[in-house]
Every structure is written in structure tokens, then in C-alpha cells.
Amino acid sequence: PKDLCVTADIPLASRCLAKGAKALSPKGNAWTPTNIGSALAGRELSRHLREIGAITGGQAPMGKADKSRFIGARDEAGRTLLRAG
């Protein structure tokens, strides 16, 4: 519960949340019990679309806004974990 996981692996983020840890994407979006289910569903849909050739590209590269959002989210999560003791 006192851990912070930074991952783009949505199933891993889900397992971390289930154990009470905090999880962030590398672009600074917090994975939460509220949004992880739809993220898992979207991941499965994207996998299927890649298999049938409907999607051929990947994620956009990290930009300055992504890096800034990540640093802010990481710092906030760290403060929250420190306060939790």
C-alpha cells in the first residue's frame, strides 16, 4: 500500500491498485479503481483492432506537457504516500 508503480502496463497497474498501491502512467495519468476497468477494456479493443490491421501506429511520443504532468503527478503521489506514513 505504500508503493507507487509507474507503468504503461494496464494489467500491472490493475494488480497494483488491487493491492492498495498507487499507479501512474508514464505520461502522468493516475490509474484509479474508477478508470482502470475502462482502460483494460480499451486495451483489449486496441489489441483486437491491431490484430485485424485496423490500427497500425503506436502511442504518440511524450511531449513537454506529458513530462510536466508526470512530474506533478509523481510528486503529488509521493506526498500522499508520505502523509499516509
Side-chain angles (χ1 to χ4, degrees):
K2 295 179 183 178
D3 288 335
L4 173 61
C5 176
V6 177
T7 184
D9 184 332
I10 299 169
L12 174 61
S14 179
R15 290 191 304 272
C16 291
L17 291 173
K19 300 247 180 199
K22 299 231 179 263
L24 289 176
S25 77
K27 292 190 176 183
N29 299 312
W31 298 117
T32 67
T34 305
N35 68 13
I36 198 71
S38 50
L40 286 165
R43 176 185 178 272
E44 186 60 26
L45 176 62
S46 293
R47 183 195 60 79
H48 176 69
L49 292 173
R50 280 190 305 276
E51 283 180 356
I52 64 172
I55 295 178
T56 57
Q59 289 186 352
M62 279 186 71
K64 288 182 182 181
D66 297 319
K67 292 174 186 176
S68 179
R69 184 176 41 254
F70 171 75
I71 290 168
R74 181 205 57 201
D75 290 348
E76 178 59 31
R79 284 190 295 274
T80 300
L81 291 170
L82 286 173
R83 280 190 298 257

